[in-house]
Amino acid sequence: KLRSSYDKILVDAPCSSERHVLMQKSGRENGFKSPKSSSTAVIERWSPKQCKIFAKLQYSILKSALTCLKPGGQLVYSTCSIATVENDFVIEKILQKFGPGNGRCHVKAVKDCGFGNAKDRATLEQLGCERTKHGYFMLPDKSKFGPIYWCLLERSQGSGGDSEHSE
C-alpha cells in the first residue's frame, strides 16, 4: 500500500559508523568527553567484513524505499561511513539494477546532488565537502563535522511498476 506514495524520502542508513570510531578515539563525542570503554567497544566491532554486511542491508533498505517513491520523487541516501562500499558502491548497485533500460522503475543519481548552482557548490567546498562519483562527503579533517556521505536519487517521471524490486 505504500508503493509510489511519497514525493521525498530520507534514508539515513545504518552503517559501520566510522564517525563514532573517529570521535570516540579522540575522546570527544558531541563536544563531551567519551568514556574510554565505549571507544574500545566501537573500535573492536569495526571490520571490513562488517562494512560489507552493512552494504547489503543498506542496499535492501534503499531498494525498499525506492518502491515507496512516486515517479518524479527524490530520495536522499545518507550514511556516517567513510567506506566506499557503503556509499558510492551501494548507489552504483542501485543504478545498475534500476537505471534506464533496466525494468520499469527508472532511477538516476541527480547531478551535483541538487546543488547545480556554482555558488551552492562553492559553499559546499568552503564547508569541506568533497564530490564523490555519485554524491558528496563531508569529512571531519576539513569541516569539523562528519563523516557524512549523501547522494540524491530521483525516480523518473512516468516510471511505472515495481515488479523488478523483488530479487
Side-chain angles (χ1 to χ4, degrees):
K1 294 185 181 201
L2 293 178
R3 290 191 186 276
S4 302
S5 298
Y6 297 97
D7 296 314
K8 309 275 185 202
I9 297 175
L10 169 64
V11 174
D12 185 10
C15 65
S16 57
S17 300
E18 287 93 345
R19 170 182 169 55
H20 301 290
V21 173
L22 293 170
M23 292 296 131
Q24 290 180 353
K25 190 167 184 177
S26 72
R28 303 203 68 74
E29 180 72 33
N30 298 325
F32 299 101
K33 274 201 139 192
S34 298
K36 197 165 189 97
S37 60
S38 64
S39 172
T40 304
V42 173
I43 291 170
E44 287 175 359
R45 286 192 311 258
W46 187 92
S47 72
K49 182 179 179 182
Q50 184 184 16
C51 293
K52 290 178 183 177
I53 291 168
F54 274 113
K56 288 179 183 177
L57 176 61
Q58 293 158 346
Y59 174 78
S60 184
I61 291 169
L62 190 50
K63 190 172 70 165
S64 293
L66 287 170
T67 67
C68 298
L69 196 60
K70 288 181 182 177
Q74 294 184 325
L75 181 150
V76 173
Y77 171 75
S78 174
T79 74
C80 61
S81 174
I82 59 172
T84 304
V85 71
E86 295 184 62
N87 298 322
D88 274 349
F89 286 3
V90 171
I91 299 300
E92 191 68 37
K93 189 173 177 183
I94 287 291
L95 294 175
Q96 286 172 1
K97 183 159 182 76
F98 303 107
N102 296 325
R104 295 179 296 177
C105 174
H106 302 290
V107 174
K108 67 177 183 174
V110 177
K111 184 177 166 73
D112 291 321
C113 291
F115 296 100
N117 181 307
K119 186 176 177 182
D120 291 340
R121 287 192 307 275
T123 300
L124 287 175
E125 288 178 21
Q126 288 176 343
L127 291 172
C129 298
E130 297 177 16
R131 187 81 173 98
T132 68
K133 183 174 182 182
H134 298 297
Y136 279 94
F137 263 133
M138 182 178 279
L139 299 170
D141 63 330
K142 294 184 179 178
S143 67
K144 298 188 176 35
F145 296 101
I148 300 169
Y149 168 86
W150 74 93
C151 174
L152 179 62
L153 298 174
E154 184 174 274
R155 184 168 172 180
S156 299
Q157 284 286 353
S159 60
D162 298 308
S163 60
E164 74 285 350
H165 285 278
S166 58
E167 281 205 341

